[in-house]
Amino acid sequence: MEETLIYEHEEKLRNAMVNGDVENLDKLISDELTFVSPFGQIVTKEDDIDSHRSGIVNITEIKFLNQKVIPLEDVAVTITQAKVHAIIAGQHTEDEMYYTRVWQKHKNELKVISGHCSFVKK
């Protein structure tokens, strides 16, 4: 799998998250998504998109600090360190996070099928 294509899709996902663009989130996230939040909760595609649509999660900025792509045959794994500014349930937050995502190519489309996120301890 081509690394530059994965970086492009990571950027598309970042833009969709920051802009609350649920239409593009829907295109970039697999219907089978299983994501583990930094609090140990399992998040589905529906959960993720609904949190953006409802405004419970309003990500105002994501700055990628470091990113690595591990290309495999029909999937790629990304490990991204990012500074995230958000308003979650009315509370302003600013955290440094690590995201691990698995991008799967299915029917000529790349989508996130699995992932995990955790806080960076300083």
Side-chain angles (χ1 to χ4, degrees):
M1 192 170 295
E2 189 181 328
E3 278 186 52
T4 56
L5 187 61
I6 302 303
Y7 284 115
E8 288 171 10
H9 276 71
E10 280 282 326
E11 182 61 21
K12 287 179 186 180
L13 183 63
R14 187 192 70 76
N15 283 325
M17 290 167 51
V18 168
N19 294 313
D21 183 348
V22 294
E23 186 177 322
N24 274 320
L25 287 172
D26 185 52
K27 291 176 185 175
L28 293 166
I29 298 172
S30 169
D31 291 341
E32 288 81 34
L33 175 75
T34 300
F35 190 86
V36 180
S37 81
F39 305 106
Q41 300 159 315
I42 299 294
V43 178
T44 65
K45 176 180 181 174
E46 184 177 320
D47 297 331
D48 190 15
I49 290 176
D50 282 348
S51 70
H52 289 276
R53 183 180 290 121
S54 69
I56 290 173
V57 173
N58 179 11
I59 299 173
T60 57
E61 181 181 3
I62 301 173
K63 180 179 179 185
F64 290 167
L65 304 174
N66 189 9
Q67 194 168 42
K68 179 178 181 177
V69 173
I70 304 165
L72 302 169
E73 201 166 312
D74 290 330
V75 299
V77 177
T78 60
I79 302 167
T80 305
Q81 183 180 6
K83 184 77 158 185
V84 180
H85 297 259
I87 302 167
I88 300 177
Q91 297 291 325
H92 288 265
T93 66
E94 181 180 321
D95 294 295
E96 198 169 305
M97 311 292 292
Y98 267 113
Y99 291 89
T100 303
R101 289 190 263 270
V102 178
W103 289 87
Q104 181 183 42
K105 193 170 194 173
H106 181 69
K107 295 183 181 177
N108 224 19
E109 293 182 317
L110 276 174
K111 296 187 180 218
V112 176
I113 189 158
S114 183
H116 179 269
C117 154
S118 58
F119 294 103
V120 175
K121 271 195 158 180
K122 294 195 174 195

